[in-house]
């Protein structure tokens, strides 16, 4: 009989070693999580709590915490209650949550801080719970639920998990910091809705207390509770209403008893339940679409629910009022979470039933504007007038259009009119007459020389506010010292196996679109101000089928950077086929930990691709509120606009971006603001700030103003 020794392959040994190192690193990173998990597991196993209810055993009262324990002098139960669970099911849930929740929090916060946060949050929530139960169970109240809790004791580790996750959420970046917080609030509220126990009361209090503590002392690069983008507000608002609808459905089929009594409200009508469910689903869908009416309905319903619940709590606690559960504290907590998103995020719900238009009836105005662009062509900023937020003034015969926005009593006409060249003067005059009749302050923002000249002929004034950076493509070749940076980026990308794709983002798979959104929302979250609008698009605008998107991907399919290019159409050539003569850069995002010169690589690769397609130029777009020669124009421009540009620079880097584009050796075309006279400029400056920051809260605008004063 022979024996054979199998030698490990050279490839296998390093893999095993790498795995062992990975396990060792994981153990080193979360020692508190592992220790806590083992303690809870060993106690559950040794006491037999995995197969029987600990709360039924005689010694449970010596380790569980509550008002009776303090009255008996068992102060140690504040600590011992942490590692015991009342039932086998709770033990399994606790072990899972320790591994996931405490482990994640320890990874984000570090071992020392997670120990302080978890135990500190648990103790604070326990003591405050006892205080509230003691207060509402006194002789001057008659709240049966509080009386019941005053006689009970509780134990469990989950409060520690809630406290740790609440604090660790402050270390995340947008959009995940708010998503985690909303998810935590929803889970805690639903748990309280269906259980209403002493333990679930601690979950609620731990969430309320530890979220501000985390925000105040543990936030890193980003601060605040508000979502940064319109899409995020709409998505979370929609999800919140859907969760409320689902909770109401579960309560109908599985009624229980909560702090205010039975949760079914003696409502046996399936039809009523279905009607309410359909209404909630309709509201949720319209919130997702950003409808203004849906926001009003949701806010009114939520406020009514909160007010009624507060009144019922007062009546139940201090009178003999018998609540039948028509409202519940749990669903009210859910409404509080939703209202905390909707009320500060009201800016995201400005979509009316239909886009306002003047001078034409019927049809889709945005589709009509696109048809006009296909027919008459446009400038480098013309495609921006197809974005949400614009209203339209059409010529009587529908042959031309002006896009404008209303802010601060001002009509801001955006970009040049879309019309035939021979109709330009008449279209400009038509808008001026329309604005004068409306009693608003009119101006033209980001127009070319032709429109500015016509405005000057009408007695207006025009000043340069930006420069459009144009890269001509027919003779483009990345040769010579001026193009060294772009060549280096292209060569480095080739060495690191970074590939370029030029796509229609709407046709890409979910994995690509989700990565693009994540990169964009992380970028917005870093700025401290919400997503900008007006002449700055977002991922939503990049999903337009006529917009091209440049992607930089590595071998694993991870997106490292993204650009979006808006079409610039030439006047129709008679064939009926729209002709693209150039492309304008809009969205420009890079992954924070990705390929370094990804933007240079994407712009250079895009230029070569568009050149091969026959395009004449690229516009790297004019940096808003930035000029190459500030001194020459500052004497003619009101201080408001210069101050606004200076104030936004730390947040969005407009002027540094303008300098970055110089490495592509562009030529410059002036971009103008046209206005009636200098007395209009203060109002126009405020209107432009609101147009660029339609989503900013008053507090954020105060910060912007403060940064302006510090310049």
């Amino acid at each position: 009989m022979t024996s054979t020794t199998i030698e490990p392959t050279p490839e296998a040994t390093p893999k095993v070693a790498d795995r062992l190192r990975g396990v060792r690193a994981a153990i080193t990173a979360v020692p508190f999580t592992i220790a806590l998990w083992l303690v809870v597991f060993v106690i559950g196993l040794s006491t037999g709590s995995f197969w029987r209810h600990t709360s039924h055993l005689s010694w449970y009262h010596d380790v569980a915490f509550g008002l009776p324990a303090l009255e008996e002098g068992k102060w140690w139960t504040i600590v011992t209650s942490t590692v015991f669970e009342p039932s086998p099911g709770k033990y399994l849930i606790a072990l899972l949550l320790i591994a996931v929740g405490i482990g994640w929090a320890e990874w984000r916060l570090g071992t020392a801080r997670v120990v302080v946060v978890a135990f500190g949050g648990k103790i604070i929530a326990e003591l405050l719970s006892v205080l509230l139960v003691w207060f509402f169970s006194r002789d001057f109240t008659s709240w049966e639920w509080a009386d019941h809790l005053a006689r009970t004791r509780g134990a469990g580790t989950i409060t520690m998990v809630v406290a740790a996750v609440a604090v660790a959420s402050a270390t995340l970046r947008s959009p995940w910091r708010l998503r985690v917080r909303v998810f935590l609030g929803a889970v805690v509220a639903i748990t309280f809705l269906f259980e209403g126990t002493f333990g679930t009361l601690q979950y609620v209090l731990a969430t309320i207390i530890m979220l501000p503590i985390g925000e105040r002392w543990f936030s890193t690069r980003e601060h605040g509770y508000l979502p940064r983008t319109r899409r995020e507000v709409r998505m979370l608002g929609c999800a919140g209403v859907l969760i409320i609808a689902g909770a109401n459905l579960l309560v109908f089929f599985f009624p229980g008893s909560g702090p205010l009594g039975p949760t079914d409200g003696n409502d046996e009508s399936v039809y009523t339940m279905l009607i309410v469910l359909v209404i909630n689903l309709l509201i949720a869908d319209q919130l997702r679409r950003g409808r203004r009416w849906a926001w009003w309905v949701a806010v009114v319903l939520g406020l009514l629910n909160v007010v009624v619940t507060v009144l019922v709590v007062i009546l139940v606690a201090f009178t003999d009022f018998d609540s039948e559960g028509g409202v519940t504290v749990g669903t009210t907590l859910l409404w509080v979470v939703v209202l905390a998103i909707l009320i500060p995020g009201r800016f995201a719900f400005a979509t009316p039933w239909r886009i306002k238009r003047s001078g034409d009836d019927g049809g889709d105005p945005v589709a009509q504007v696109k048809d006009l662009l296909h027919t008459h062509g446009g400038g480098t900023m013309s495609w921006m007038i197809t974005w949400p937020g614009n209203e339209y003034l059409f010529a009587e015969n529908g042959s031309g259009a002006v896009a404008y926005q209303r802010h601060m009593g001002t009509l801001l006409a955006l970009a040049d009119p879309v019309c035939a060249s021979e109709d330009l003067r008449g279209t400009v005059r038509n808008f001026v007459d329309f604005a004068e009749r409306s009693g608003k302050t009119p101006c033209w923002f980001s127009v070319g020389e032709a429109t500015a000249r016509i405005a000057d002929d009408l007695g207006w004034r025009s000043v340069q506010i930006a420069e459009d950076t144009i890269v001509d493509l027919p003779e483009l070749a990345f040769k010579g010292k001026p193009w060294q940076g772009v060549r280096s980026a292209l060569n480095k990308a080739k060495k690191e196996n970074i590939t370029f794709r030029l796509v229609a983002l709407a046709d890409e798979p979910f994995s690509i679109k989700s990565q693009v959104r994540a990169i964009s929302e992380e970028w917005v979250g870093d700025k401290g101000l919400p997503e900008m609008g007006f002449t700055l698009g977002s991922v939503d605008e990049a999903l337009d089928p006529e917009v091209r998107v440049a992607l930089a991907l590595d071998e694993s399919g991870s997106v490292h950077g993204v650009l979006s290019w808006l079409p610039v159409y030439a006047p129709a050539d008679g064939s009926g086929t729209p002709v693209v003569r150039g492309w304008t850069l809009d969205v420009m995002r890079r992954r924070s930990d990705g390929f370094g010169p990804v933007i240079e690589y994407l712009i250079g690769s895009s230029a070569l691709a568009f050149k091969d397609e026959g395009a004449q130029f690229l516009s790297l777009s004019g940096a808003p509120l930035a000029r190459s020669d500030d001194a020459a124009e500052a004497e003619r421009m009101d201080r408001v606009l210069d101050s606004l540009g200076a104030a936004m620079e730390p947040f969005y880097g407009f002027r540094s971006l303008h300098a970055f584009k110089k490495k592509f050796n562009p030529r410059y075309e002036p971009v103008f603001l046209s206005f009636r006279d200098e007395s209009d400029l203060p109002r126009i400056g405020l209107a432009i700030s609101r147009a660029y920051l339609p989503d900013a809260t008053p507090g954020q605008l105060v910060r912007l103003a403060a940064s302006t004063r510090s310049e």
Side-chain angles (χ1 to χ4, degrees):
M1 182 175 180
T2 61
S3 62
T4 303
T5 301
I6 301 176
E7 298 291 339
T9 63
E11 296 83 2
T13 302
K15 288 183 178 180
V16 172
D18 289 343
R19 289 172 183 171
L20 290 175
R21 280 194 295 269
V23 172
R24 191 181 301 113
I27 295 174
T28 304
V30 290
F32 172 67
T33 302
I34 295 173
L36 180 62
W37 194 94
L38 289 175
V39 168
V40 174
F41 178 80
V42 170
I43 288 177
L45 190 64
S46 61
T47 60
S49 300
F50 283 143
W51 52 86
R52 59 183 175 178
H53 283 261
T54 307
S55 58
H56 297 165
L57 303 178
S58 59
W59 52 263
Y60 180 76
H61 287 180
D62 294 325
V63 298
F65 180 75
L67 183 58
L70 288 184
E71 291 174 341
E72 295 168 6
K74 298 177 180 178
W75 52 267
W76 62 84
T77 57
I78 295 178
V79 177
T80 57
S81 63
T82 300
V83 292
F84 289 89
E85 296 291 342
S87 65
K90 281 292 181 69
Y91 261 105
L92 294 178
I93 294 173
L95 290 173
L96 176 63
L97 292 181
I98 290 171
V100 176
I102 298 290
W104 174 76
E106 186 173 7
W107 175 62
R108 299 294 304 185
L109 297 172
T111 300
R113 293 198 292 178
V114 82
V115 170
V116 173
V117 165
F119 279 109
K122 165 78 169 174
I123 292 171
I124 292 172
E126 284 180 327
L127 294 177
L128 188 55
S129 298
V130 167
L131 180 62
L132 290 175
V133 168
W134 173 83
F135 176 80
F136 284 106
S137 63
R138 296 301 90 193
D139 294 337
F140 56 84
T141 66
S142 57
W143 197 351
E144 183 179 344
W145 175 73
D147 293 338
H148 171 70
L149 292 190
R151 301 188 299 270
T152 62
R153 308 170 197 242
T157 314
I158 299 177
T159 305
M160 293 178 61
V161 177
V162 172
V165 171
V167 171
S169 67
T171 66
L172 295 174
R173 303 170 72 172
S174 291
W176 292 106
R177 60 190 279 117
L178 185 61
R179 292 180 182 178
V180 169
R181 289 170 172 178
V182 170
F183 177 77
L184 177 65
V187 171
V188 167
I190 291 175
T191 305
F192 186 76
L193 167 65
F194 283 96
E195 294 188 16
T197 61
F198 185 67
T200 57
L201 175 61
Q202 293 180 36
Y203 307 162
V204 173
L205 294 175
T207 304
I208 294 173
I209 295 167
M210 301 308 289
L211 280 177
I213 289 177
E215 186 65 26
R216 174 63 179 83
W217 282 289
F218 294 89
S219 285
T220 51
R221 298 179 59 182
E222 189 175 339
H223 300 274
Y225 299 94
L226 301 180
R228 306 295 185 183
T229 63
R230 290 179 290 276
R231 175 183 176 271
E232 189 71 9
V233 178
R234 295 172 181 177
M235 185 187 75
L236 291 175
C238 170
V241 174
L242 289 177
I243 290 172
I244 291 173
N248 290 333
L249 191 64
L250 288 174
V251 167
F252 181 85
F253 287 107
F254 305 100
S257 182
L260 301 181
T263 58
D264 58 0
N266 291 330
D267 185 2
E268 301 297 336
S269 173
V270 175
Y271 297 105
T272 301
M273 180 272 296
L274 291 176
I275 291 173
V276 173
L277 179 63
V278 170
I279 291 174
N280 283 332
L281 294 178
L282 176 62
I283 294 173
D285 178 67
Q286 295 302 298
L287 286 175
R288 180 182 62 85
R289 299 171 184 270
R291 299 296 185 188
R292 186 177 299 142
W293 71 265
W295 181 88
W296 277 106
V297 171
V299 168
V300 170
L301 285 177
L303 290 175
L304 284 175
N305 189 284
V306 171
V307 171
V308 170
T309 301
V310 170
L311 292 176
V312 171
V313 167
I314 294 173
L315 291 174
V316 170
F318 297 102
T319 71
D320 294 330
F321 180 78
D322 184 17
S323 170
E324 295 295 335
V327 293
T328 66
V329 176
T331 51
T332 299
L333 290 174
L334 287 172
W335 271 116
V336 168
V337 174
V338 172
L339 290 174
I341 298 169
L342 293 182
I343 293 177
R346 61 190 179 279
F347 58 80
F349 303 95
T351 306
W353 278 105
R354 55 177 297 177
I355 300 170
K356 294 182 180 179
R357 54 194 284 142
S358 303
D360 192 67
D361 296 319
D364 179 5
V366 175
Q368 186 174 348
V369 168
K370 289 184 177 181
D371 289 341
L372 289 173
L373 286 171
H374 296 159
T375 301
H376 301 300
T380 57
M381 300 181 67
S382 293
W383 195 256
M384 299 173 186
I385 72 174
T386 66
W387 294 348
N390 292 310
E391 302 175 27
Y392 302 102
L393 176 67
F394 288 95
E396 292 185 2
N397 59 3
S399 61
V402 175
Y404 63 94
Q405 295 189 12
R406 301 173 187 258
H407 298 285
M408 312 295 290
T410 301
L411 296 188
L412 294 175
L414 174 59
D416 296 299
V418 182
C419 61
S421 57
E422 61 269 18
D423 296 331
L424 181 60
R425 181 174 295 272
T427 306
V428 171
R429 185 181 293 275
N430 187 33
F431 174 76
V432 172
D433 292 340
F434 169 75
E436 295 287 353
R437 291 194 306 270
S438 69
K440 307 292 185 181
T441 300
C443 75
W444 291 88
F445 186 80
S446 294
V447 297
E449 289 185 274
T451 301
R453 192 179 307 114
I454 293 172
D456 291 345
D457 292 343
L458 296 176
W460 286 32
R461 295 196 61 189
S462 298
V463 295
Q464 183 182 344
I465 58 170
E467 286 177 327
D468 200 354
T469 49
I470 305 295
V471 178
D472 293 310
L473 297 180
E475 305 299 327
L476 179 67
F478 297 137
K479 296 180 180 179
K481 187 175 181 180
W483 294 103
Q484 182 175 347
V486 178
R487 288 199 308 272
S488 298
L490 294 173
N491 293 333
K492 186 175 182 180
K494 186 175 182 180
K495 292 178 182 178
E496 298 189 17
N497 294 320
I498 301 294
T499 57
F500 169 80
R501 290 183 59 204
L502 194 59
V503 302
L505 186 60
D507 298 333
E508 289 299 292
F510 173 78
S511 59
I512 295 295
K513 287 187 282 193
S514 62
Q515 288 186 73
V516 170
R517 286 197 181 277
I519 292 172
S520 181
E521 290 174 354
E522 177 184 319
W523 181 87
V524 173
D526 285 341
K527 302 306 171 186
L529 287 173
E531 194 170 29
M532 298 187 76
F534 204 29
T535 64
L536 298 171
S538 65
V539 177
D540 290 335
E541 284 72 41
L543 288 168
D544 189 313
E546 296 188 60
V547 173
R548 304 284 289 279
V549 171
L551 301 173
L553 300 99
D554 61 20
E555 292 178 298
S556 66
S558 297
V559 178
H560 287 249
V562 56
L563 307 179
S564 70
W565 297 97
L566 311 178
V568 183
Y569 285 98
D573 58 4
S575 65
T577 301
V579 177
V580 176
R581 64 189 180 99
W583 297 90
T584 298
L585 177 62
D586 181 31
V587 172
M588 184 167 61
R589 306 282 191 266
R590 63 182 299 273
R591 202 173 79 188
S592 58
D593 58 345
F595 177 61
V598 67
I599 299 301
E600 293 91 334
Y601 168 68
L602 284 174
I603 292 177
S605 300
S606 298
L608 295 176
F610 287 134
K611 175 185 177 181
D612 292 341
E613 294 179 1
Q616 298 299 305
F617 65 86
L618 290 184
S619 167
L620 301 183
S621 67
L625 309 172
R627 299 183 296 275
S628 64
D629 186 5
D630 288 333
E633 293 296 337
E635 295 178 356
R636 305 177 59 198
M637 191 63 186
D638 184 83
R639 193 173 294 176
V640 173
L641 292 178
D642 279 334
S643 298
L644 182 62
M648 289 184 180
E649 176 64 21
F651 299 101
Y652 291 97
F654 289 146
R655 295 174 180 178
S656 56
L657 179 61
H658 194 59
F660 166 80
K661 294 174 182 177
K662 290 182 179 179
K663 67 175 60 180
F664 297 96
N665 306 294
R667 60 180 173 85
Y668 298 100
E669 293 184 356
V671 178
F672 295 94
L673 171 77
S674 296
F675 54 95
R676 294 180 303 188
D677 57 62
E678 287 80 0
S679 64
D680 288 340
L681 282 173
R683 182 180 292 273
I684 291 172
L686 294 173
I688 291 173
S689 67
R690 177 50 70 184
Y692 272 111
L693 291 168
D695 306 349
T697 63
Q700 290 166 332
L701 292 177
V702 167
R703 288 176 54 203
L704 186 63
S707 66
T708 302
R709 289 194 296 269
S710 65
E711 288 292 328

